[in-house]
Amino acid sequence: MAADARNLTGEPPAVRQPGAGTAGAGRPATARPERTADPAPPAPDGRRTAFAAPARVPLPNASGPREATTRLIAHGCWYPSADPAGTQVAFICDRGGVPQLWTGPVDGDPVRLLDDGPDPVTEVAWSPDGRWIAYTTAPGGGEHTRVLCVRPDGSDRHILAGAEPGSSAHLGCWAHDGSAVAVTVAVPTAVSAPDAMAEAGAAGPGPSDGLLPAPWHGRTGDTRLLGPPPHTDAGPALPSPVVAVETATLGAPGGATAPAAGFGDGLSAYLVDPDGVAAPALLAVEKDAATLRVCDLSRDGALALLRRGPRGRREAVVLRTADHVTTCVMPVADGDPWIGGFSPRADTLWLRSNAHREFAVLLAAALDPEGHPRGWSVGASRESTDLELLRCARDGSHAVLAWNVRGMSELEVLDTDATPQTGAGPSRTVSLPHEVVTRIVHAGHRLLLALSGSRRRPGIWWLPGGATPLRTPWSSRDEDAVPPGRPPVRPVPLRPTARDGLPLNGWYYRAPGRGPGEPAPCVIHLHGGPEDQERPVLNPLYHEILGRGLDVFAPDVRGSSGYGRSFVDADLGRGRFAAIDDVADCAAHAVLAGPADPARLAVMGRSYGGYLTFASLVWHPDLFRTGVAVCGMSDLATFFEGTEPWIAQSAAHKYGHPEHDRELLRALSPMSRIDALRAPVLAVHGEHDTNVPPGESEQFVRAARERGVTAELLTLRDEGHEFLRADNRRLFRRAAADWLQRHLAT
C-alpha cells in the first residue's frame, strides 16, 4: 500500500460535543482564537455539525541529556528539521533500536534523545519560532498515529492530537510565526459535515473522478472505478488561461449535509495552539476521505495549501481561511506529500504537479489578492524525469528540486525570484555523495539533506554555503554500514521487457564470491505500493540474503512510479494480470541476461509485493522453488472488508470496486487459485497491521497446509505494516534468509 497515506485512519475517534474545536475556525492561521462554548451553526436539515477536536494531554518531561539503553553503531538518521538559526536539527534515529526523536548540532556533537518512549517516531517539524518540536508517533508500531509537541530542552511534552482511543492524527505544517501547527485527525461523518469533495473536486484542469463512498454495499452511482485512460495527451498548454477555477466551500460549518448516521469516515484539519491557550481552529473537513494534509500557510495566515485525494487522484487545494472558500484546485503527483508552497507575499504558488503530463514538473501560478490563480507556467521540467521533491526557501529566493532519474536522485537549486510570467531564473546542480535524496530542509542559509545509498545507512548531510555536502558527525559512517569483512553490494541496472513489449526496470545484486558466469540461486524481490519504486539504497534484508550466497533481483513491474503516469496506470483493472506476468518475465530476464539459476528461483515481497508473491506462486506454480510473502493481500474481498476505510478509498482506484468489480477482484485474488500452489511459502506479518490485516497471511497459510503444501507464518509482536523495531527487523531478516537458503541452496 502507499507509504505516504499510512498515517491516517478510518476508525472514528471519540466525538466531542458540538462546537468543541470550531471556535475561530474562520480566523487567519496565525491568530490565536479565543475559547468558546458556542455550538457550531446548524446544517440545512437542522442537525448540528460535530467534529472531533484534538485534545491536549500532558506527558512526563524528557528534559536533560539521555542515552538509549541499546546503542547501534550502524544506525540510521533521517527526516531532519532545523531550528530557525539553522544550527540545531531535530531528526529521527534508530540508534536505540527503534526510531526515536533526537536533536543535535548540525556540525558537531553530542546528540540528545528527546523522547525515550517505545513508540516509533515517523515525522518531525521544528517550529519557525524555535519554541517547539512537533512530531508523530505510532503507538504499538501500528497504523494509528499521534501528534506530540515538546520543548527543545525536553520539557512540556504533551499529545496534541490522537489521544482518544481509536483515533489517529498526523502532522501538517507550522504557521510561519509558530503560533499554531496543523494536524489532521480522523472524525466520524455520522452527522452533518461539508461534502467538500463534491463541491470542489472538479475545479482543476482535469477530471477529479475516481472518488468512492464507503461503506461499499448498496452503493451505485457515477463513480469512476479504475482510473483514467493512459496519460498520452498533453492536455491544455501552460501557462493556461483556460484553467477553470471554481469558487467552492471546503469545510465551512453548515455546508452540505453528510450521509445518514453510521455512514463512512472523514478527516478534519485543525490549527492547534501548542501552548494550549487557544482552542483548536477548524480549517477543513473531508468525508469519506483518503488523505488530507495541510502543506503550507501564507505568512498572514489568509491562505492554506492542502493536499487531498486518493492515490492517483491527488489534488492541491488553495483555501481562504477566513471564509473557507476554495480558490484553486490543481491535480498533483503522488509520492512526497509536501507538494509545494506560497511565496512570502502569497502572490505566487509553487507546486510539484503532473497535471496532464506523464511526469511531474514545477508549476507556478500568480495569485491575485483573493488567492485565485491568474495563470500557470512551468518553472522547471525534465524530459522523461519526475520532479520528486520540492522545497521552497522561506524568503522566496530559490527552490530546491530533486529529480528522479530511473531511481537515482539529481539535485538542483533554482532561482525563483523571477515572476511566474517571466519564468524561473538560473539554476545550479549539487553533487551528491550517495544515490538517493529522501528529504530536503532549509536550515538558516544552509541546506540539510537526508541521503541514502547502496553502500550506506540513511544519514543527514549539510551544505555549507552551497559547497559539497558534508556528513553530520552523528550520522553513521559508510564503513559502519555493515559488519567488517562484508562490504555492501552496489547493484547494476537491468532492463527487462514484458511479454507484451512494455519496457521494465530493476536492480540486480550479485552475491559476493561467485564467478562471473557461475549460476546462482536468485530471489526476485518485489516492492510495495504498488506505486513505490525500487531505489539503489542499502537494504539490510538484501545484505542478509546476499551473505547467504543468494543473488537478489529487485524489479519495477508495471504500476511502479518513476516512469510516467501511463506506466503507473498500466496495472489498473485487468492490467493487474499483466503485472503478475511481469514477475515471471523479470525472472526469465534474470536467467537470460544475468547469472540466475533457472532451477533455483524464489519470489519475495512486502505489502503489494506480498500480494504479488502470493499471486506469482499460484499463477506460475512451476517457476519458483519457494516464496516469502510479507504483509501481503491474499484475497482482495477480505482485504477490503478488513482494511482501514481510508485505505479502501484509495485501493479501489487501483484494484477495483469491492462490489461493482467483485468478479474481477475474485479472479485477481491468490486464494481463488490456491489449488495450484506447489512451492513452500513463508508468510510474515505484524500483529498490529490494520493496513493489510494479519488474516490475509493466516488464511493463505491455513489453505496451503490443508492442501499438503509446506507453509509457515511468522507474526512479529508490536509491529504494524512497517517493521520498525531493531530486534524484530533482525528476526525477520534472519528468518527470511534462513528460509530462502534452506530451499534454494541445493
Side-chain angles (χ1 to χ4, degrees):
M1 307 306 300
D4 66 352
R6 64 185 177 86
N7 288 331
L8 299 179
T9 178
E11 291 194 12
V15 181
R16 299 170 68 88
Q17 292 299 315
T22 61
R27 298 174 185 264
T30 54
R32 295 183 180 271
E34 299 177 357
R35 294 187 180 275
T36 177
D38 293 338
D45 63 354
R47 295 181 296 172
R48 295 192 180 276
T49 304
F51 305 101
R56 192 179 197 273
V57 179
L59 296 172
N61 284 343
S63 57
R66 291 183 171 216
E67 289 292 334
T69 55
T70 303
R71 294 299 298 274
L72 301 179
I73 295 176
H75 60 266
C77 300
W78 62 96
Y79 217 97
S81 184
D83 71 348
T87 59
Q88 297 287 319
V89 59
F91 58 97
I92 301 173
C93 182
D94 63 357
R95 68 171 63 198
V98 63
Q100 294 171 307
L101 177 64
W102 293 72
T103 60
V106 171
D107 53 0
D109 267 325
V111 293
R112 298 195 317 129
L113 177 62
L114 277 192
D115 189 335
D116 63 350
D119 297 335
V121 176
T122 59
E123 293 181 305
V124 180
W126 207 313
S127 67
D129 60 5
R131 299 188 308 118
W132 293 99
I133 299 172
Y135 59 108
T136 305
T137 66
E143 310 310 305
H144 295 195
T145 56
R146 294 175 175 177
V147 176
L148 295 85
C149 254
V150 66
R151 301 282 187 183
D153 65 359
S155 63
D156 201 8
R157 188 167 62 104
H158 58 274
I159 300 173
L160 283 181
E164 295 87 354
S167 68
S168 189
H170 75 126
L171 188 60
C173 68
W174 281 94
H176 284 268
D177 63 357
S179 63
V181 61
V183 298
T184 298
V185 296
V187 298
T189 53
V191 290
S192 298
D195 189 351
M197 286 189 174
E199 294 179 3
S208 294
D209 47 8
L211 304 175
L212 296 171
W216 310 107
H217 296 294
R219 301 293 296 177
T220 55
D222 299 325
T223 54
R224 187 90 176 267
L225 301 178
L226 297 176
H231 303 270
T232 54
D233 63 329
L238 292 173
S240 174
V242 302
V243 171
V245 177
E246 175 180 324
T247 301
T249 302
L250 177 65
T257 304
F263 182 90
D265 297 274
L267 302 172
S268 285
Y270 286 89
L271 297 171
V272 181
D273 176 9
D275 295 296
V277 175
L282 179 66
L283 188 63
V285 174
E286 295 250 347
K287 73 177 185 65
D288 300 328
T291 55
L292 180 65
R293 185 187 291 261
V294 184
C295 296
D296 196 21
L297 295 162
S298 61
R299 294 295 180 93
D300 60 2
L303 297 177
L305 174 64
L306 311 179
R307 174 184 178 266
R308 70 176 185 196
R311 292 146 53 187
R313 293 293 181 276
R314 309 293 190 196
E315 293 177 326
V317 178
V318 177
L319 178 76
R320 285 206 305 258
T321 60
D323 54 10
H324 295 86
V325 168
T326 298
T327 63
C328 173
V329 179
M330 172 67 79
V332 292
D334 281 343
D336 185 63
W338 304 102
I339 54 175
F342 300 106
S343 64
R345 295 187 299 274
D347 54 359
T348 304
L349 172 67
W350 300 96
L351 288 178
R352 180 180 61 85
S353 173
N354 59 353
H356 296 279
R357 286 175 166 80
E358 280 286 333
F359 294 89
V361 301
L362 176 63
L363 284 187
L367 302 179
D368 67 18
E370 297 298 315
H372 297 94
R374 294 190 172 103
W376 295 88
S377 64
V378 177
S381 65
R382 292 193 181 185
E383 184 177 358
S384 300
T385 303
D386 263 323
L387 177 58
E388 185 173 37
L389 300 175
L390 167 65
R391 293 296 181 272
C392 302
R394 287 184 175 273
D395 62 4
S397 62
H398 65 276
V400 186
L401 317 173
W403 300 93
N404 183 336
V405 184
R406 291 187 177 274
M408 309 270 282
S409 295
E410 293 184 4
L411 200 68
E412 178 183 9
V413 180
L414 182 70
D415 180 6
T416 55
D417 277 336
T419 66
Q421 288 79 9
T422 60
S427 66
R428 61 181 176 88
T429 59
V430 176
S431 177
L432 297 174
H434 293 285
E435 290 95 327
V436 178
V437 180
T438 61
R439 187 164 171 81
I440 304 166
V441 173
H442 286 90
H445 297 292
R446 299 181 290 194
L447 285 177
L448 288 175
L449 303 175
L451 299 178
S452 192
S454 59
R455 300 192 179 191
R456 66 159 292 105
R457 292 278 288 155
I460 297 171
W461 296 61
W462 61 288
L463 274 70
T468 302
L470 300 176
R471 181 180 61 86
T472 53
W474 27 267
S475 293
S476 287
R477 301 171 300 173
D478 290 354
E479 56 267 31
D480 295 331
V482 294
R486 291 180 56 190
V489 173
R490 185 183 295 275
V492 297
L494 287 186
R495 304 285 184 255
T497 300
R499 62 191 63 185
D500 62 0
L502 183 68
L504 307 175
N505 297 270
W507 298 91
Y508 197 95
Y509 296 76
R510 179 68 163 157
R514 289 191 180 274
E518 182 183 359
C522 182
V523 180
I524 309 299
H525 189 275
L526 306 163
H527 63 67
E531 306 94 333
D532 291 350
Q533 181 186 15
E534 188 67 33
R535 312 298 291 271
V537 298
L538 181 65
N539 188 326
L541 171 65
Y542 295 176
H543 187 73
E544 184 76 34
I545 294 172
L546 293 165
R548 308 298 182 93
L550 313 178
D551 288 3
V552 175
F553 180 37
D556 288 319
V557 301
R558 70 190 69 202
S560 305
S561 62
Y563 309 101
R565 294 180 67 181
S566 295
F567 192 86
V568 172
D569 286 347
D571 66 345
L572 297 181
R574 301 193 66 84
R576 197 154 316 281
F577 292 112
I580 297 170
D581 285 339
D582 285 349
V583 180
D585 296 338
C586 287
H589 187 84
V591 171
L592 296 175
D597 184 345
R600 292 185 291 170
L601 296 174
V603 61
M604 179 181 183
R606 70 168 309 278
S607 192
Y608 176 73
Y611 160 80
L612 281 182
T613 298
F614 285 141
S616 298
L617 291 175
V618 297
W619 259 269
H620 303 284
D622 299 320
L623 180 59
F624 298 105
R625 187 180 285 191
T626 188
V628 179
V630 185
C631 301
M633 305 94 76
S634 62
D635 186 312
L636 294 176
T638 57
F639 160 71
F640 272 107
E641 291 173 359
T643 190
E644 303 279 7
W646 63 268
I647 294 176
Q649 295 285 342
S650 285
H653 161 66
K654 295 299 296 184
Y655 307 128
H657 193 287
E659 181 176 344
H660 303 162
D661 300 296
R662 186 181 309 162
E663 291 305 312
L664 173 63
L665 295 183
R666 188 189 66 81
L668 286 168
S669 295
M671 287 295 294
S672 68
R673 298 175 61 94
I674 191 68
D675 289 338
L677 182 67
R678 302 286 183 270
V681 60
L682 171 66
V684 185
H685 229 107
E687 68 167 336
H688 299 315
D689 190 351
T690 58
N691 186 325
V692 177
E696 293 299 304
S697 288
E698 294 167 2
Q699 64 190 4
F700 194 90
V701 168
R702 183 169 53 249
R705 289 175 174 175
E706 290 172 352
R707 287 158 177 79
V709 179
T710 301
E712 300 292 341
L713 173 63
L714 172 63
T715 299
L716 297 179
R717 305 300 181 191
D718 296 320
E719 298 287 5
H721 197 59
E722 305 282 347
F723 305 154
L724 301 176
R725 305 180 191 279
D727 53 349
N728 281 331
R729 295 199 304 268
R730 190 180 304 113
L731 171 62
F732 159 61
R733 292 196 303 268
R734 292 177 178 174
D738 286 346
W739 180 275
L740 293 166
Q741 184 179 20
R742 181 162 65 250
H743 291 281
L744 294 182
T746 58

